[in-house]
Amino acid sequence: STNNVPIESTEIYIDGSMHIAGSIANDTLYKGSLEIKGRGNSTWGMPKKPYKIKLDKAAALLGMNSDKKWVLLANYADKSLIRNEVAFELSRRMELAFTPDGKFVEVVLNGAYVGNYELVESIEVSDHRVNIAEMDEDATTLPGISGGYLVEMDGFAYGEPVYFETPHGLLASVHYPDDDDINQEQKDYIKNYFTGFENSLFAENFTDEEDGYQKYFDLTSYVNWYLVNEIIGNPDTFWSTYLYKNKDDDKIYTGPVWDFDIAANNDERLGDAVNKLMQDAAHEPKQWIKR
């Protein structure tokens, strides 16, 4: 950061610059200005901090798709450092619609070596990330207001600028449209849409393929997303679930996958989870999958 200012906030970006050097010839692979802040909830309280960075100009860092926004995952809770990337690779092989790309890097911050991180594409709505329709800021009626939206079923949603609660008590934070751009009609629309989906899921005719919950919810993307989380045994599967709704599309889709640092039997609260199914053993809220 500029003048070696410490990064102490997950709210406020501070100015800085970044230099990426090749590991063999020490050649410069990237050099530019950026803004940086902390990120994460439980992970921000750990000794090795994760960060979110915003480049001044979009760049294709380490051969990944060009964008301004990136994440440095610390993987502090995962001493192997590879659980997130193994899960991302599972997602890629199962051909989920959007999977973050990532590359391992050694990080020197303000002159001090802070460890091995994974530089990862952040989950954003853009052409090379979650590629859904961009919302018109002024949209207040259909069809414009129908999308796109990026939502996270999020146990920490109370700390987010824009969030809602479903009738069955699940918390959801709205990541797109951005909190600076979203209007009240859009907030109401997406909350009401999820309410309609959840009400249909818990209605008597919920298994009806035409008039049940599948009218509002894409089952295939949910199953494939769940399989990635089940194969790697992710206890945060339902605590943090990304979903998106596109414009002129009635269905809510599940993904991208994210957050696997305590997966693969790395959560002591579960005991030995090797032979446990996450639909039984993962942390709440599990109302949807149980239904």
Side-chain angles (χ1 to χ4, degrees), residues 46-272:
M46 296 175 182
K48 184 184 175 191
K49 308 291 187 189
Y51 301 102
K52 185 162 189 177
I53 57 180
K54 190 162 61 176
L55 308 178
D56 280 5
K57 294 178 183 173
L61 301 181
L62 298 176
M64 294 182 281
N65 286 314
S66 181
D67 208 288
K68 284 186 175 183
K69 295 180 180 179
W70 300 83
V71 166
L72 282 166
L73 292 176
N75 292 315
Y76 179 78
D78 171 14
K79 299 305 180 273
S80 76
L81 304 175
I82 64 171
R83 281 172 167 84
N84 273 305
E85 180 54 28
V86 169
F88 293 155
E89 183 61 23
L90 264 173
S91 177
R92 292 177 200 123
R93 292 188 188 199
M94 291 183 65
E95 298 181 349
L96 272 65
F98 312 114
T99 305
D101 202 356
K103 305 288 182 186
F104 288 101
V105 291
E106 305 290 337
V107 177
V108 176
L109 178 65
N110 290 340
Y113 174 68
V114 290
N116 179 281
Y117 281 68
E118 189 173 10
L119 178 67
V120 176
E121 295 180 335
S122 57
I123 295 180
E124 316 279 350
V125 172
S126 75
D127 290 349
H128 297 297
R129 304 276 173 93
V130 181
N131 187 12
I132 58 176
E134 293 194 15
M135 176 71 73
D136 181 348
E137 284 182 37
D138 300 324
T140 57
T141 57
L142 290 170
I145 203 172
S146 69
Y149 295 91
L150 178 63
V151 172
E152 180 188 4
M153 309 314 291
D154 177 8
F156 293 114
Y158 284 131
E160 295 294 328
V162 182
Y163 73 91
F164 60 86
E165 189 171 339
T166 71
H168 283 258
L170 276 71
L171 295 170
S173 51
V174 181
H175 292 282
Y176 183 84
D178 297 335
D179 51 286
D180 293 340
D181 299 330
I182 192 168
N183 61 45
Q184 189 59 49
E185 288 85 356
Q186 291 163 3
K187 292 179 192 177
D188 293 342
Y189 175 88
I190 196 61
K191 177 184 178 179
N192 292 338
Y193 208 87
F194 271 74
T195 297
F197 152 61
E198 194 178 76
N199 287 341
S200 73
L201 179 62
F202 289 93
E204 282 188 21
N205 70 334
F206 79 107
T207 57
D208 189 301
E209 287 189 22
E210 303 230 332
D211 293 322
Y213 75 95
Q214 290 187 63
K215 191 174 177 180
Y216 303 96
F217 191 80
D218 179 68
L219 188 56
T220 301
S221 66
Y222 189 73
V223 168
N224 290 338
W225 163 89
Y226 175 73
L227 284 171
V228 172
N229 283 276
E230 181 56 72
I231 290 165
I232 201 164
N234 184 16
D236 281 336
T237 300
F238 310 108
W239 180 259
S240 169
T241 305
Y242 279 96
L243 304 140
Y244 57 92
K245 185 192 176 299
N246 210 348
K247 185 179 180 183
D248 297 328
D249 189 331
D250 290 340
K251 294 200 178 187
I252 296 163
Y253 295 82
T254 313
V257 300
W258 187 254
D259 193 12
F260 297 92
D261 58 335
I262 60 170
N265 217 18
N266 194 33
D267 186 346
E268 60 187 13
R269 294 168 293 183
L270 271 61
D272 184 0

